[in-house]
Amino acid sequence: MKEVRSAAPWSIGLLGGGIAGLALAALLGERGHAVTVYERDRVGGKLRRITVGGLAFDTGPSLFTFPEVWRALLARLGEPDPLDLRPLPGGLGVHHTPFGAAPLPVPPGHPLHPAWEAYRAPARPLAGHLTTLLTTPPRLSDPTFRRGSAALFRATGGQPTAEGWVRARRLPPALTHAVGTHALNAGLTPQDAPALYALIPALAADAVFRPARGMGALLDALLAFAAARGVQVEEGAEVARVDPRTARLTLSGGEERRHDLLVSALDPARLAGVLGRPVRSPVARRTVSGVALYAALPGDAGLPPTSVLPPADFARFRAAVRAGALPPDTLALVHADGPRLAVLLTAPATARDLRPEHPWVRAQVGRVERTLGVPGLLASARDVLALPPRHYAAGGHPGGAIYGAALPAWRGGPLHPQPYRPRPRLWQVGTGVHPGGGLPAILGGALIVDTLLGESGV
Ligand SMILES: Cc1cc2nc3c(=O)[nH]c(=O)nc-3n(C[C@H](O)[C@H](O)[C@H](O)COP(=O)(O)OP(=O)(O)OC[C@H]3O[C@@H](n4cnc5c(N)ncnc54)[C@H](O)[C@@H]3O)c2cc1C
């Protein structure tokens, strides 16, 4: 569809100053609109700068994948890349499966290398199409989207779930387990995630990055792009009520603001709350939450940048998180960077205040330390900060589900149109509306919504 440029700037109220909200604010500012971002807390959402034991940490995302999506955003803004993305040694990291360790990517000479090559062969033709799928509105009338979705269908061979796709490949068990783990990075087990997730290691393992100045550089860049386009950012401004007919909103202090249009970059369940609608989110229908531990160590732990400890049994893990119970062994991601250590433990989305001294957290940390051969590592830390499910629930989905509601496999991924525009004067962007997990999905989602807004005359 041809884009219709608006003649006059619109006053747009953007709810939520996470990465999705800021990215879309910059894009709308680029079109000349007057944008105000309302953020209940500090900007950045799940990605924020904290200090632990005198060391700076960036919370939330640690792996920057599919950088072409970021480059597509830069191209639309006409900006050079300020991030200085550096490849992360070891890619997606060593996966300590019950069947042995599997580094992803598997390097030549490793016994799993031939199986790794066989595994990723069907994904190769998809590589060139993934950016299109992540950044283009899903419409069969669009030939580029049609080509991309056809490539995805060919690569997934009609398997609906990640588990089904991996099983059909008949890979060695260590590789099957390691690949299946990546479905969990989008908050769903391999039994529940679309088949595309089983292809993510094949598509991303060789190209995992981090900005030279840490992930916080992404937040800085988006804030700078937004400021240069006149975007007003209000922190500590919680939106309590929204009237989508008049595009009027009320802040929690009672102050009213009027706009021509509203865009929510909140989790859809939170948006339902401010619209005065009942919020339905049974725990079995949520993606997972987590306990993120940020530790300032006395020195370099000597660990690889990324280590992954999957649950030993995905079926048992699934049963636990769907029942809201703590799984006996959970997915643990360990990121080490000199004296900085981040241990991310997957937990059910029940808004629990799980602290480092909680017996379950201690047991999971013990498992990490035993597996990586670093006993007492966390106890040696000068300081540890924990962000539990309760933290993620405060600004996100009920229970602290990191990726919002768990959609059925056929609705997840980039093929299904999402509720971009639930009301004529209310649009949506962000994790809960662009399923797929992390930054590529939400940055691509911001581009999709910007395209659709442009086509609608905004
Ligand atoms: C531990 C962890 C590890 C991760 N690892 C990776 C990774 O390695 N790679 C990757 O790509 N992704 C990763 N992710 C995912 C990535 O961080 C998220 O997808 C992304 O940050 C979500 O951005 P968002 O803007 O959609 O949502 P959010 O960051 O949740 O932003 C929503 C914002 O809305 C605000 N808000 C809520 N209610 C209101 C209200 N009523 N009024 C005003 N404001 C409100 C919130 O305070 C928040 O700032 C990780 C996430 C976590 C938590």
Side-chain angles (χ1 to χ4, degrees):
M1 197 189 279
K2 203 169 163 312
E3 185 172 309
V4 187
R5 286 252 164 201
S6 57
W10 293 49
S11 161
I12 300 179
L14 220 151
L15 285 54
I19 297 300
L22 294 174
L24 187 62
L27 289 165
L28 293 171
E30 174 68 16
R31 291 176 178 283
H33 298 305
V35 184
T36 306
V37 175
Y38 298 96
E39 166 54 49
R40 65 179 273 281
D41 191 4
R42 279 159 52 192
V43 284
K46 296 186 178 87
L47 194 178
R48 62 166 60 179
R49 287 226 162 95
I50 55 166
T51 305
V52 182
L55 296 176
F57 285 79
D58 295 318
T59 69
S62 9
L63 306 179
F64 199 108
T65 51
F66 303 107
E68 299 77 17
V69 176
W70 167 242
R71 290 186 195 118
L73 181 84
L74 292 171
R76 199 169 297 180
L77 292 172
E79 290 280 358
D81 191 348
L83 289 192
D84 189 9
L85 289 173
R86 304 270 171 94
L88 205 59
L92 293 171
V94 179
H95 294 58
H96 297 269
T97 82
F99 311 99
L104 299 186
V106 184
H110 191 284
L112 290 173
H113 185 70
W116 166 252
E117 288 299 325
Y119 150 72
R120 63 179 186 171
R124 282 219 173 82
L126 179 59
H129 294 283
L130 207 68
T131 312
T132 306
L133 288 175
L134 285 164
T135 57
T136 313
R139 296 185 283 225
L140 287 173
S141 54
D142 177 343
T144 6
F145 176 77
R146 261 201 324 268
R147 278 194 295 278
S149 36
L152 180 55
F153 273 121
R154 277 193 298 277
T156 55
Q159 287 285 350
T161 67
E163 188 195 41
W165 189 86
V166 185
R167 207 187 296 133
R169 302 258 84 69
R170 297 176 188 281
L171 301 169
L175 201 52
T176 300
H177 209 83
V179 163
T181 306
H182 284 271
L184 268 169
N185 285 335
L188 295 165
T189 60
Q191 295 98 319
D192 300 306
L196 169 64
Y197 288 86
L199 294 161
I200 298 294
L203 295 162
D206 286 326
V208 181
F209 299 91
R210 192 168 296 154
R213 292 184 309 286
M215 293 300 276
L218 172 64
L219 177 58
D220 295 341
L222 292 174
L223 282 170
F225 295 159
R229 289 157 180 83
V231 173
Q232 301 294 313
V233 178
E234 297 191 21
E235 296 187 306
E238 180 170 27
V239 177
R241 274 277 172 274
V242 152
D243 181 346
R245 283 174 303 113
T246 57
R248 196 177 295 181
L249 59 83
T250 312
L251 298 175
S252 54
E255 195 184 331
E256 281 207 351
R257 302 287 181 90
R258 286 180 90 130
H259 294 281
D260 301 320
L261 189 82
L262 298 175
V263 181
S264 167
L266 313 181
D267 177 87
R270 291 193 84 80
L271 177 64
V274 297
L275 285 168
R277 291 205 329 256
V279 177
R280 284 186 211 92
S281 175
V283 69
R285 303 280 297 278
R286 298 174 191 164
T287 56
V288 295
S289 188
V291 181
L293 301 167
Y294 298 96
L297 302 176
D300 191 331
L303 292 172
T306 304
S307 307
V308 182
L309 283 77
D313 180 336
F314 285 121
R316 193 174 58 181
F317 173 87
R318 180 178 190 262
V321 292
R322 287 173 67 100
L326 294 168
D329 52 352
T330 196
L331 169 66
L333 302 174
V334 182
H335 298 293
D337 178 10
R340 291 180 185 79
L341 182 77
V343 179
L344 312 175
L345 304 171
T346 303
T350 50
R352 285 180 76 168
D353 192 14
L354 294 165
R355 301 268 136 203
E357 53 283 359
H358 187 281
W360 180 81
V361 177
R362 289 169 70 126
Q364 303 306 316
V365 168
R367 175 179 171 239
V368 167
E369 292 174 339
R370 276 193 310 281
T371 308
L372 302 185
V374 284
L377 184 64
L378 224 72
S380 75
R382 289 187 287 108
D383 199 4
V384 180
L385 182 117
L387 298 182
R390 177 190 277 193
H391 166 82
Y392 297 113
H397 198 81
I402 288 173
Y403 300 110
L407 299 177
W410 59 270
R411 265 204 67 193
L415 293 187
H416 191 275
Q418 302 298 330
Y420 304 116
R421 190 185 193 181
R423 308 280 173 88
R425 293 173 78 175
L426 175 67
W427 291 68
Q428 286 195 93
V429 75
T431 332
V433 196
H434 296 97
L439 301 175
I442 57 162
L443 294 175
L447 285 164
I448 289 174
V449 170
D450 180 59
T451 301
L452 295 172
L453 278 160
E455 288 174 358
S456 77
V458 176

